[in-house]
Amino acid sequence: MERLLTVDQIAEQLHQHFCSDLEDDELDLSDLVLHPQVHDIDANLRALERNLNLVLPETFKQLNQAYELSQFTMSNISFGFGGHYLQSIQASNQDEQFSPWWQGDARPQSRILIAVGDPFAVIMDCESHNIYALDSSGQYERIATDFDLFFRGMGSVVLGHVSSLEACLVVGAEKERVFWNEVRPYPRH
């Protein structure tokens, strides 16, 4: 795991990579930078757990307590999809969804949608802590063995610190690697 950047290093390097562009009034690239969490969200995390009837992995809670993900996008994956991130997660995982991400009548009890992208939805299993990419045909691919490894793997690839193949091996992804082949480094300035 030492080959992966830490979340704090990812935040710092994203800021360095995009900070000059953030000063340009014509461009709004703030969704590509991790912003520190300025609110106490413990009550929101507990409410999400209660409302979805599950226990969130500690690594997921810790990252949300440290950084604001409401409008954050990394590579082709958007964590924030309108509004407050945790409220978006709750809304996207309610059984009353008009067009749910799951098949059947009820959401798989331990799994929740945590991010969306093209062509994948990112699903977290709150019991095993595995992270899955779900494609449009309903096929799951394990892309990491926990949220911290997934996030650090993504950040390390987009910042050019490791290749997608290296990240895939470090984070415990399945051999298929379809998801990780789609993650590309940001262009250098």
Side-chain angles (χ1 to χ4, degrees), residues 95 100 102-107:
D95 286 337
W102 61 87
Q103 296 175 354
D105 292 335
R107 174 182 55 83

Side-chain angles (χ1 to χ4, degrees), residues 6-183:
T6 66
V7 175
D8 290 340
Q9 289 170 324
I10 291 166
E12 180 182 325
Q13 290 185 30
L14 287 171
H15 182 74
Q16 290 171 355
H17 189 79
F18 293 109
C19 71
S20 63
D21 292 333
L22 287 175
E23 295 168 5
D24 186 346
D25 290 337
E26 294 179 26
L27 296 175
D28 181 10
L29 302 177
S30 60
D31 62 328
L32 301 174
V33 177
L34 268 175
H35 299 282
Q37 181 61 262
V38 295
H39 303 289
D40 180 0
I41 63 161
D42 289 342
N44 294 5
L45 288 165
R46 286 190 304 275
L48 180 63
E49 289 178 319
R50 183 180 58 253
N51 292 335
L52 295 180
N53 194 29
L54 48 74
V55 176
L56 296 166
E58 281 303 313
T59 58
F60 181 80
K61 291 181 197 179
Q62 290 168 353
L63 195 136
N64 277 276
Q65 290 165 329
Y67 293 99
E68 174 59 62
L69 298 180
S70 289
Q71 302 303 323
F72 182 64
T73 298
M74 188 165 30
S75 185
N76 59 339
I77 301 297
S78 294
F79 291 87
F81 27 94
H84 186 273
Y85 180 59
L86 297 177
Q87 291 171 349
S88 296
I89 289 176
Q90 180 173 324
S92 298
N93 290 287
Q94 295 288 346
D95 286 337
E96 298 86 30
Q97 282 292 310
F98 173 72
S99 180
W101 58 264
W102 61 87
Q103 296 175 354
D105 292 335
R107 174 182 55 83
Q109 185 59 38
S110 66
R111 292 186 177 187
I112 58 171
L113 174 73
I114 59 168
V116 294
D118 184 19
F120 302 102
V122 179
I123 308 297
M124 180 171 63
D125 188 307
C126 294
E127 288 179 2
S128 70
H129 300 196
N130 286 331
I131 306 296
Y132 295 93
L134 176 65
D135 68 20
S136 59
S137 69
Q139 299 299 308
Y140 286 93
E141 170 190 354
R142 188 184 71 227
I143 56 176
T145 55
D146 83 1
F147 184 74
D148 181 66
L149 288 174
F150 162 68
F151 198 90
R152 292 175 53 214
M154 287 273 305
S156 297
V157 171
V158 300
L159 291 165
H161 188 71
V162 298
S163 70
S164 59
L165 176 60
E166 289 174 293
C168 181
L169 297 172
V170 173
V171 303
E174 291 177 331
K175 294 179 185 178
E176 194 61 30
R177 295 194 314 271
V178 174
F179 173 85
W180 287 103
N181 288 335
E182 296 290 325
V183 180

